[in-house]
Amino acid sequence: MLFLDELPEFSRHVLEVLREPLETGQITISRAGAQADFPARFQLVAAMNPCPCGYLGDPQGECHCSADRVRNYRLRISGPLLDRIDLQIHVHRPSAEVMQARQPDGEPSREVRSRVAACRRAQLERGGVCNAQLDGDALRAACCLGEETEALLSRAMEHHALSARSYQRMLRVALTIADLKGKPGVDPVAMAEALSLKGLDAVVRPAPPQLGTSSTM
């Protein structure tokens, strides 16, 4: 696991170098007259503030950053790198009550671990690899997408201008969500959850036909 805190503070060049191993699971080192490939499959976890001062959108703090400063700060992370980060979650500052709770809410880690282990076993039994390595026909066959799920993903692709890479990654995340719930395929609920975990909450639904027009299904 590679954890990068304050992600935009890293050199842009350093961050862009991560794109190859995130995509292929290996890195190629080239020198004069020689080239070598090395395994580099890892789990990337990164954290960043919403703006340089850290208070943008905080109901208990006041942001002093200009719009240009916020935009330049966020542009330090390129679109192609963000495209390779499947889960993008906004985490709000916890309250004092939450921090001081003796028994925090949520499942015990032992139960979560057991469910994740069972999910991983099911993936290996189904395709011989985990969902992260599934691609092409094998991925679509495992997802068993229905018409409603296909339509939901298509609307999200069009509305958010998602890339072909994002399409594949959304399928893998949604399939893993379904696996964790013991579902045989990806339904609209799992797909909507996968999209929300990518930070894509506003999925446009088709508008109803207007009066005086006809629609063909």
Side-chain angles (χ1 to χ4, degrees):
M1 178 177 290
L2 174 63
F3 174 57
L4 301 180
D5 197 10
E6 298 291 350
L7 186 65
E9 302 300 335
F10 286 85
S11 162
R12 177 72 173 261
H13 172 70
V14 170
L15 295 178
E16 291 304 295
V17 170
L18 293 174
R19 288 164 53 180
E20 178 186 356
L22 282 173
E23 187 72 20
T24 65
Q26 66 179 26
I27 191 167
T28 301
I29 305 296
S30 300
R31 294 292 183 266
Q35 178 175 301
D37 295 328
F38 295 92
R41 189 172 299 282
F42 60 95
Q43 185 79 37
L44 173 64
V45 179
M48 62 179 287
N49 288 317
C51 67
C53 78
Y55 287 106
L56 182 65
D58 190 335
Q60 298 178 338
E62 182 179 358
C63 177
H64 299 283
C65 302
S66 66
D68 286 341
R69 192 180 181 202
V70 173
R71 182 174 63 254
N72 292 334
Y73 175 76
R74 295 185 177 183
L75 285 176
R76 296 178 190 177
I77 313 300
S78 72
L81 179 59
L82 283 174
D83 208 25
R84 291 165 169 82
I85 300 178
D86 297 337
L87 311 182
Q88 301 176 22
I89 304 172
H90 296 278
V91 180
H92 299 287
R93 190 211 318 255
S95 64
E97 291 78 7
V98 172
M99 296 297 296
Q100 295 171 355
R102 295 184 179 274
Q103 295 182 347
D105 295 334
E107 295 179 86
S109 297
R110 181 179 300 176
E111 293 181 10
V112 176
R113 177 184 178 184
S114 176
R115 189 167 67 252
V116 170
C119 175
R120 182 181 177 86
R121 286 195 301 270
Q123 293 177 12
L124 294 175
E125 291 172 0
R126 178 180 59 212
V129 294
C130 290
N131 292 343
Q133 281 77 54
L134 281 176
D135 207 349
D137 293 340
L139 177 59
R140 292 192 61 84
C143 287
C144 300
L145 298 180
E147 290 185 4
E148 187 178 354
T149 308
E150 287 268 22
L152 176 62
L153 182 55
S154 296
R155 292 196 299 270
M157 291 285 294
E158 181 178 355
H159 181 62
H160 297 289
L162 300 180
S163 66
R165 178 183 296 108
S166 289
Y167 178 86
Q168 296 284 333
R169 288 178 173 271
M170 286 297 95
L171 288 180
R172 294 192 191 101
V173 173
L175 180 58
T176 299
I177 292 171
D179 289 341
L180 285 169
K181 295 179 179 179
K183 299 291 184 65
V186 176
D187 59 13
V189 175
M191 182 58 68
E193 185 174 347
L195 289 167
S196 69
L197 290 174
K198 182 75 170 178
L200 308 177
D201 295 317
V203 178
V204 174
R205 300 190 177 278
Q210 297 183 3
L211 294 178
T213 64
S214 62
S215 61
T216 303
M217 299 300 290

